[in-house]
Amino acid sequence: MTALDFLKGHGTGNDFVVLPDPCADIDLTPDLVRALADRHRGIGADGVIRVATTGALVSRGVIPEAPAGVGEDDWFMDYRNADGSVAEMCGNGVRVFGHVLAGLGVLGTAEGTPVTIGTRAGRRVLTVHSVDGDLADVSVDMGAPVVGGASSATLAGENYRGLAVDMGNPHLACVVPGLTADALAALDVACQPTWDPADFPAGVNLELLTPLADGAVHMRVHERGVGETLSCGTGTVAAAVAALRDAGKGTGVVEVHVPGGVVRVTVTADGSELRGPSRLVFRSTVEPSALAG
């Protein structure tokens, strides 16, 4: 395999290796993803994002078909977790994805214009509100959260009760009564949690958060296939949904504070929106053979 062009970017500290690959020429194997994401012997990232057209991914057999409402020429976010597994959606990743499209000059519209993209969680609409060099402000229509029932998970010997929320990927968002931001910061979130496989047969992203106060919550997350990350976009939406319900509300705007920064989540009667920053750190090339060590 020849040298790969890539960009490194993050959304509130949730970082990604981004591969511009419009024609889906790269054989993006789990081994290659793990090598790219390796923080000691590779580039290092929470995930890997391929930027390709939907039609190219279909023709290569990477995805079976275009999501409803997504055309062959629309861009598709082909997202992989750091462990090489395929993931349905990433809210921070999709903001970086939009930033990269704008930076490469292939967004096709002016700033502030909604753009349709494809994901494995279905059609999404993103808006790049502004780009100032390496920093962008991007919002994403995250779709309607699918709220399930109560469930629980055990982390570092503690059992946490929460609300199952499907954002195209599975979440268990746990509002912990009486939890403060300082107490949350002291928790061990890095260790592997356990959960009820009957509720989450494909694994789960686990969010621990403070109760809603003055329109804000503090959250930490253990991401499926990655471990603890500084932020999780879909997780912030799941957390906002759980916090609003815990406060007796069905809709609203929640400021979600994560270790990597702050995002704003809007939950409506039939959908949700995530808005926050994207930062591109550098662009370079890598020889896949150099990652084998």
Side-chain angles (χ1 to χ4, degrees), residues 16-151:
F16 310 95
V17 172
V18 184
L19 302 172
D21 184 26
C23 298
D25 292 324
I26 299 171
D27 184 13
L28 195 56
T29 65
D31 283 345
L32 178 56
V33 170
R34 286 190 289 268
L36 290 167
D38 190 309
R39 296 193 181 277
H40 301 287
R41 293 171 291 186
I43 300 165
D46 293 325
V48 174
I49 301 171
R50 184 202 333 236
V51 180
T53 65
T54 301
L57 292 170
V58 171
S59 66
R60 296 285 191 180
V62 178
I63 57 175
E65 60 185 0
V70 177
E72 288 190 355
D73 293 332
D74 289 329
W75 295 102
F76 190 99
M77 186 181 78
D78 180 15
Y79 181 63
R80 318 295 175 99
N81 291 319
D83 68 353
S85 60
V86 172
E88 300 89 347
M89 171 62 178
C90 176
N92 289 320
V94 76
R95 296 202 316 276
V96 175
F97 181 87
H99 189 181
V100 169
L101 291 179
L104 294 177
V106 296
L107 197 60
T109 62
E111 290 180 10
T113 303
V115 176
T116 292
I117 65 162
T119 76
R120 288 183 174 84
R123 176 179 178 269
R124 292 291 184 265
V125 177
L126 63 83
T127 303
V128 179
H129 297 279
S130 64
V131 177
D132 183 9
D134 60 2
L135 184 64
D137 175 24
V138 186
S139 65
V140 185
D141 173 6
M142 298 290 285
V146 178
V147 179
S151 189

